[in-house]
Amino acid sequence: MSGGALHVHQATVGELQTAASTVLAPLAVTAPRALTSTGVEAGAFRADIDAAVVGRAAVARIRGSGHLVQRSARAISSTDPELLKITLHRSPEPAAADQGGTQSRAHSGDFVVFDMTRPYRLAVADDCDVMAVGISRAELGRHADTVAGRAARRLPADSGAQAVLATFLQGLGSHLDELAGPAQAHAGDALVSLLLAAFTETEPGRMDTATELVDRIRVYVLANISDPSLCVDSVAAAHGISARQLHRLFRHTGIPFAAWLRGERLGRIRRDLLDPAQDGRTTAAVAARWGLHDPRHLARALKSQYGTTARDLRRER
């Protein structure tokens, strides 16, 4: 889905399939036909669809009749984007999820994850109300494996970061067509951060893998990215490990901690420099907002990362 908002009222099964396949990847959508004693179909299928791109994620809300969504092996192509689909269910009857031999029943207030690179099935009952988020595995980096590891397992959204994410998604679903430009980008950043917080949250004392610790460190850093004192030593101390351990953890991700942090900051600075609403801010003020206070360092970093200068970025709009 390249941009803009999609709204379809009283959609047919075919229209729902087209919308779902456009927003995410090729999917098959079918609906059972309930017949009366006289052989007449009882109750036509209906669905209301609202969808939009929010930052770097696709978000959709589907309300209406029960239906079955399937991602078959035949539909999966090497050219499809490697997406994870996160669903939030607000339906009176539970939904049935199935992927890779894992099955669960998602009740109202539950999240369920699906790995779009593998076949899956999701059956929802009548009066369904489902929020779906499609996000590239690349956007989540090493977090993607942690999130995908929960495929087809229900995750209640009754407390903690899961409850915050659920509330955010419900609000987002009601205002999809009101977000544009910078507001859409900022909402997308918030969505990614909340997804990471909700799906990498680990109870104290149970953080027993390197991947889980890297995930938690990244969530912490993104939540404090505007702090100029953020560095290897401060982040390591906040997580009870040594700077050497932190370096070793990030070495296994393929990108050093400092390089990853710099890239996250530069990406946000570049976005703000391209935003006309930020014209009242100097380049130094924009950079300071994301924790960089050295103009000379910023100039070199932008040139190295994007091959351009701050002035040129503002001229590109």
Side-chain angles (χ1 to χ4, degrees), residues 221-258:
V221 169
L222 293 177
N224 295 277
I225 199 167
S226 61
D227 183 355
S229 68
L230 207 61
C231 65
V232 169
D233 290 335
S234 68
V235 172
H239 290 82
I241 61 176
S242 68
R244 178 177 296 181
Q245 286 176 294
L246 189 143
H247 281 306
R248 185 166 60 249
L249 285 168
F250 273 79
R251 190 180 306 127
H252 292 305
T253 71
I255 180 170
F257 173 81

Side-chain angles (χ1 to χ4, degrees), residues 24 78 149:
L24 297 169
S78 60

Side-chain angles (χ1 to χ4, degrees), residues 35-291:
L35 300 181
T36 66
S37 58
T38 59
V40 178
E41 187 174 349
F45 178 89
R46 61 172 182 80
D48 292 336
I49 308 163
D50 299 286
V53 171
V54 180
R56 299 180 297 275
V59 179
R61 184 181 186 186
I62 299 94
R63 290 165 289 175
S65 302
H67 56 275
L68 173 66
V69 179
Q70 297 183 84
R71 174 86 161 142
S72 66
R74 178 179 296 181
I76 298 172
S77 156
S78 60
T79 60
D80 291 339
E82 294 190 350
L83 297 178
L84 293 177
K85 174 184 175 182
I86 297 96
T87 57
L88 171 63
H89 298 265
R90 290 291 181 186
S91 310
E93 297 296 325
D98 184 348
Q99 183 166 50
T102 299
Q103 299 178 337
S104 67
R105 291 176 67 79
H107 297 267
S108 180
D110 285 346
F111 287 105
V112 181
V113 174
F114 298 97
D115 184 344
M116 299 288 288
T117 66
R118 299 187 292 124
Y120 76 86
R121 290 166 53 97
L122 173 64
V124 296
D126 279 338
D127 298 320
C128 71
D129 187 349
V130 182
M131 288 291 300
V133 177
I135 188 164
S136 167
R137 290 179 65 99
E139 288 295 335
L140 301 178
R142 287 286 296 230
H143 305 83
D145 290 336
T146 302
V147 178
R150 296 183 179 272
R153 294 179 172 85
R154 60 182 288 265
L155 177 65
D158 54 359
S159 63
Q162 294 84 14
V164 176
L165 174 60
T167 300
F168 179 83
L169 280 176
Q170 289 178 77
L172 198 59
S174 299
H175 302 279
L176 282 175
D177 56 354
E178 299 172 27
L179 296 173
Q184 191 180 82
H186 292 311
D189 286 344
L191 175 57
V192 173
S193 294
L194 287 172
L195 284 171
L196 294 178
F199 286 94
T200 63
E201 190 172 59
T202 307
E203 294 178 12
R206 295 186 60 188
M207 194 180 302
D208 55 2
T209 70
T211 298
E212 286 175 335
L213 182 51
V214 169
D215 287 342
R216 186 167 285 275
I217 288 171
R218 282 176 162 156
V219 170
Y220 170 83
V221 169
L222 293 177
N224 295 277
I225 199 167
S226 61
D227 183 355
S229 68
L230 207 61
C231 65
V232 169
D233 290 335
S234 68
V235 172
H239 290 82
I241 61 176
S242 68
R244 178 177 296 181
Q245 286 176 294
L246 189 143
H247 281 306
R248 185 166 60 249
L249 285 168
F250 273 79
R251 190 180 306 127
H252 292 305
T253 71
I255 180 170
F257 173 81
W260 172 76
L261 174 57
R262 182 174 62 252
E264 292 293 328
R265 281 175 162 160
L266 289 175
R268 287 162 173 75
I269 291 169
R270 179 179 181 273
R271 183 195 63 203
D272 284 359
L273 291 173
L274 290 170
D275 179 4
Q278 301 292 331
D279 282 349
R281 291 174 178 260
T282 65
T283 298
V286 168
R289 179 187 181 195
W290 300 112

